[in-house]
Amino acid sequence: MKVSVIGAGNVGATTVQRLVELDIADVVMLDIVEGLPQGKALDISQAAPMMGYNVDVTGSNDYADISDSDIVVITAGIARKPGMDRSDLLKTNIKITQDVCDNTMNYSPEAIIMTVTNPLDIITYAAIQSTQLERGRVFGMSGLLDSGRFASFIAQEINCSVKDINAMVLGGHGDSMVPLPGHTTVSGIPLTSLMDEDAINRIIKRTVNAGAEIVGHLKTGSAFYAPSAAIACMTEAILKDTKRIVPASVQLDGEYGLKDICLGVPVKLGKKGAEEIIELELTEEEMKALHNSANAVSMGISSI
Ligand code: APR
């Protein structure tokens, strides 16, 4: 099997490292910067004797090298620079996404496409428009990362193993995300019976702000360890056809009362991509929050 990761920056390169350590597919890392993917790929392949993986890692600037990929992960993009507003960032990242999508359709028309570049839900929508592929073939990594952050804060708060936590975060991948304490459990025990409302609200706030909290520390650059972990989990579920259910950004067609938008909802991952959308029963308040989140994403989509 073969996975191509577009973008050899922090998220892309760490994703490649995690993927080869899973030892399930050959990996190609492609970037527009000459030498960057080649150098990182060489470095990663030289770690193989110690880490024990047997897959090939290739760094490239040539899209011909992504031919016949099973999955193409798009992390290419630029980060917001001082003086640049959100719409400039959006325009540039959409152009990059379209370029990556055109090349993917040329060289790997059968691939499943996972978007990662931000603003995630809008980029995912643009990738679907650009490729015209059916929605399950193009989706964004979002909710699994947000749920992972929610889970890690819950584990710290109640001092339990993070392994026992099953957290659920829906909605847009940004300030409007919708963490769902009512659909979050610790070894099957509802979170709401283990933590009081104030503590849950505090953790929800921290989850929504988790990406910004990291940027605040790093000053330049944003998170990449947890994002790459989420990408690797989703990639593994697809390659191994495990049918894991995780939240991801997919195009909705009436589900949750929403249409013509990409938003984070639970999906079933298998060899065909996001094979099924799971509709949770939401309270009136949760549904309202999801629709508010959808409005925020829709505004971005109309701007393109
Ligand atoms: N084609 C290929 N690669 C490109 C292109 C392009 N047209 N344009 C930019 N890139 C590459 C850059 O050269 C850079 O190496 O994308 C890479 C982005 O890496 P970083 O700047 O390190 O960003 P990173 O932290 O990896 O984040 C990537 O993921 O989580 C999101 O918000 C994040 O949108 C961002 C993306």
Side-chain angles (χ1 to χ4, degrees):
M1 286 185 282
K2 177 169 171 180
V3 179
S4 291
V5 178
I6 316 300
N10 279 339
V11 176
T14 317
T15 297
V16 173
Q17 180 188 352
R18 292 199 189 284
L19 288 176
V20 297
E21 287 178 1
L22 287 173
D23 210 16
I24 46 173
D26 292 330
V27 184
V28 174
M29 171 164 40
L30 185 141
D31 201 284
I32 200 164
V33 177
E34 279 179 28
L36 182 70
Q38 290 86 348
K40 289 190 178 182
L42 264 180
D43 195 7
I44 291 172
S45 63
Q46 288 161 11
M50 283 71 82
M51 300 306 293
Y53 42 85
N54 286 295
V55 291
D56 290 338
V57 199
T58 311
S60 175
N61 307 113
D62 179 357
Y63 274 98
D65 287 323
I66 75 159
S67 294
D68 303 322
S69 299
D70 296 281
I71 303 179
V72 173
V73 180
I74 308 179
T75 76
I78 58 155
R80 201 158 141 202
K81 299 186 181 89
M84 185 183 229
D85 69 18
R86 274 179 199 272
S87 72
D88 290 337
L89 174 83
L90 181 58
K91 271 186 216 150
T92 306
N93 282 348
I94 282 180
K95 262 200 196 131
I96 293 172
T97 305
Q98 284 170 334
D99 178 50
V100 177
C101 285
D102 288 349
N103 278 297
T104 301
M105 295 313 289
N106 262 338
Y107 290 100
S108 261
E110 303 298 321
I112 285 162
I113 298 177
M114 190 191 304
T115 54
V116 179
T117 306
N118 277 313
L120 189 273
D121 304 283
I122 304 174
I123 291 289
T124 308
Y125 187 87
I128 293 173
Q129 296 296 312
S130 175
T131 57
Q132 293 291 312
L133 289 174
E134 63 271 22
R135 59 179 180 163
R137 287 262 310 274
V138 187
F139 49 85
M141 184 288 291
S142 55
L144 183 58
L145 168 61
D146 298 326
S147 305
R149 288 170 164 164
F150 193 27
S152 82
F153 294 143
I154 293 167
Q156 281 170 28
E157 181 77 17
I158 59 179
N159 190 23
C160 75
S161 167
V162 77
K163 272 182 126 177
D164 291 332
I165 299 175
N166 226 312
M168 184 57 78
V169 177
L170 304 189
H173 186 52
D175 298 345
S176 68
M177 74 176 74
V178 187
L180 293 180
H183 286 83
T184 297
T185 57
V186 183
S187 267
I189 307 160
L191 180 66
T192 41
S193 66
L194 289 172
M195 276 170 68
D196 64 38
E197 209 181 318
D198 282 354
I200 291 177
N201 286 337
R202 182 166 34 81
I203 283 177
I204 285 180
K205 224 171 149 189
R206 194 168 178 204
T207 303
V208 172
N209 199 41
E213 185 179 349
I214 292 169
V215 172
H217 287 297
L218 295 177
K219 313 285 191 294
T220 55
S222 49
F224 53 99
Y225 291 111
S228 57
I231 300 166
C233 277
M234 290 173 69
T235 304
E236 184 179 30
I238 296 163
L239 292 178
K240 292 186 175 168
D241 195 25
T242 59
K243 317 287 188 200
R244 273 196 74 181
I245 294 173
V246 303
S249 184
V250 278
Q251 185 169 350
L252 298 177
D253 189 20
E255 296 87 357
Y256 295 91
L258 295 163
K259 254 182 176 235
D260 209 25
I261 187 172
C262 287
L263 206 64
V265 297
V267 299
K268 191 183 275 180
L269 292 178
K271 63 175 185 253
K272 293 191 186 130
E275 295 181 346
E276 207 182 302
I277 291 177
I278 315 286
E279 281 197 79
L280 299 177
E281 252 181 58
L282 300 181
T283 63
E284 211 172 298
E285 208 179 317
E286 289 166 341
M287 192 58 103
K288 207 171 143 203
L290 190 67
H291 279 244
N292 283 341
S293 185
N295 285 340
V297 173
S298 278
M299 272 172 18
I301 288 177
S302 2
S303 78
I304 60 166

